[in-house]
């Protein structure tokens, strides 16, 4: 209950401009939440059944990956956000009719793919374990609760993208390396292009970016726009994705 109260307070502060004591208080709360979240991970008993919660599963992944206490802190924050969404979805499914439950089970996911749960920036020096955190913990965690296609991983360079089993931003956005990143060139050119983007972005519940600081603002904007086009029809962002056609 204490964790829930802290999370609720942080979400209430999302609309308040940063600065002053509120910003400092928010940072301290996040630190406290990370520390208490790590303790929650450590205290969990392992249970790998189908109904295992994100916090319990995250603990198992952290143990297998032999993460230290500092490396477990971002995992704890992410796991707590997933836990809240997972419990809400379980309650929603409990109220469904039997035929609706059977249809939901076919989706192979335990958390809805729309709506923001968490935005996090993890930074550290080379060799501190950021890539290990992505490949050994976050990848299996997100795929378990968002489904097999529920995680999109990307990096600016080919080498970095391969290390996290992902693709470059150009590849995910279905853009050629020499193509302009101006808005007129980002619009969909054909239905085939829209389907290619949808295949990547519709089943996605989480996006993980490695080497984020090396990516230009124009490429970051292009990736966001193309992802929006890919999810548009499935999640009602626009009535007809053909509105994006040039």
């Amino acid at each position: 209950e204490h964790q829930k109260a802290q999370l609720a307070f942080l979400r209430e502060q999302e609309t308040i401009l940063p600065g002053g004591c509120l910003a400092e208080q928010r940072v301290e709360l996040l630190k406290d939440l990370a520390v208490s979240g790590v303790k929650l991970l450590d205290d969990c008993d392992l249970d790998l059944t189908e109904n295992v919660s994100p916090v319990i599963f995250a603990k198992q992944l952290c143990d297998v990956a032999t993460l230290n206490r500092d490396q477990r802190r971002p995992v704890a924050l992410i796991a707590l956000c997933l836990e809240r969404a997972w419990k809400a979805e379980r309650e929603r499914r409990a109220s469904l009719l039997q035929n609706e439950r059977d249809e939901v089970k076919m989706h192979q996911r335990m958390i809805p793919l729309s709506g923001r749960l968490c935005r996090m920036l993890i930074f550290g020096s080379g060799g501190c374990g950021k890539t290990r955190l992505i490949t050994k913990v976050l990848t299996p965690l997100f795929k378990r609760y968002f489904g097999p296609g529920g995680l999109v991983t990307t990096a600016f360079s080919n080498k970095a993208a391969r290390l996290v089993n992902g693709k470059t931003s150009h590849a995910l956005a279905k853009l050629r390396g020499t193509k302009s990143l101006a808005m007129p060139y980002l619009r969909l050119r054909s239905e085939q292009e829209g389907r290619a983007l949808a295949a990547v972005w519709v089943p996605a519940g989480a996006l993980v970016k490695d080497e984020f600081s090396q990516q230009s603002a124009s490429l970051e904007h292009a990736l966001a726009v193309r992802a929006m086009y890919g999810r548009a029809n499935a999640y009602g962002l626009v009535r007809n994705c053909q509105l994006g056609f040039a």
Side-chain angles (χ1 to χ4, degrees):
E1 294 300 323
H2 175 65
Q3 304 296 334
K4 291 181 180 179
Q6 285 184 309
L7 284 171
F9 176 82
L10 291 176
R11 288 187 172 86
E12 289 175 0
Q13 305 308 313
E14 290 289 346
T15 58
I16 298 179
L17 292 175
C21 62
L22 271 179
E24 295 175 0
Q25 184 181 17
R26 192 164 185 268
V27 169
E28 291 303 318
L29 274 173
L30 281 171
K31 289 181 180 179
D32 293 342
L33 189 58
V35 172
S36 56
V38 170
K39 185 177 185 303
L40 183 61
L41 289 179
D42 293 340
D43 293 342
C44 282
D45 295 324
L46 292 184
D47 178 9
L48 301 183
T49 62
E50 182 180 354
N51 294 324
V52 64
S53 74
V55 167
I56 294 175
F57 188 60
K59 172 193 167 50
Q60 194 256 357
L61 294 173
C62 289
D63 290 344
V64 172
T66 62
L67 299 188
N68 61 37
R69 200 161 188 82
D70 286 337
Q71 292 168 334
R72 289 177 182 234
R73 289 184 177 184
V75 178
L77 291 173
I78 293 171
L80 288 172
C81 292
L82 292 177
E83 182 92 4
R84 177 173 179 172
W86 178 76
K87 289 181 177 179
E89 179 64 8
R90 280 172 59 86
E91 293 176 0
R92 186 189 72 83
R93 293 186 183 189
S95 64
L96 298 177
L97 299 176
Q98 185 59 47
N99 60 335
E100 294 175 322
R101 293 182 191 177
D102 294 339
E103 183 179 351
V104 168
K105 287 181 180 179
M106 294 175 61
H107 294 315
Q108 294 184 314
R109 61 175 183 265
M110 303 180 193
I111 297 177
L113 301 179
S114 60
R116 188 184 75 177
L117 295 181
C118 176
R119 289 181 181 175
M120 181 178 294
L121 175 63
I122 302 174
F123 61 92
S125 58
C128 69
K130 299 185 297 296
T131 300
R132 183 179 183 82
L133 187 68
I134 293 173
T135 57
K136 299 296 185 181
V137 179
L138 298 184
T139 294
L141 180 65
F142 288 139
K143 287 187 174 182
R144 178 180 179 89
Y145 293 97
F146 290 126
L151 172 65
V152 175
T153 52
T154 182
F156 177 72
S157 65
N158 281 305
K159 181 178 180 181
R162 287 194 296 268
L163 287 175
V164 294
N165 299 315
K167 296 181 179 180
T168 64
S169 298
H170 280 94
L172 285 178
K174 309 299 180 185
L175 296 171
R176 294 185 179 89
T178 58
K179 188 174 182 179
S180 172
L181 299 179
M183 190 63 199
Y185 298 96
L186 299 180
R187 297 191 178 100
L188 297 183
R189 300 285 176 170
S190 65
E191 292 185 7
Q192 182 179 2
E193 193 174 50
R195 287 195 296 269
L197 288 170
V200 174
W201 295 104
V202 169
L207 172 62
V208 174
K209 304 175 185 177
D210 197 14
E211 295 188 347
F212 174 78
S213 60
Q214 296 186 18
Q215 188 150 286
S216 66
S218 57
L219 184 55
E220 193 64 33
H221 169 258
L223 182 63
V225 170
R226 300 288 279 184
M228 181 272 293
Y229 281 136
R231 294 170 70 85
N233 285 334
Y235 298 102
L237 299 179
V238 295
R239 291 187 177 181
N240 189 334
C241 203
Q242 289 185 350
L243 292 175
F245 290 169

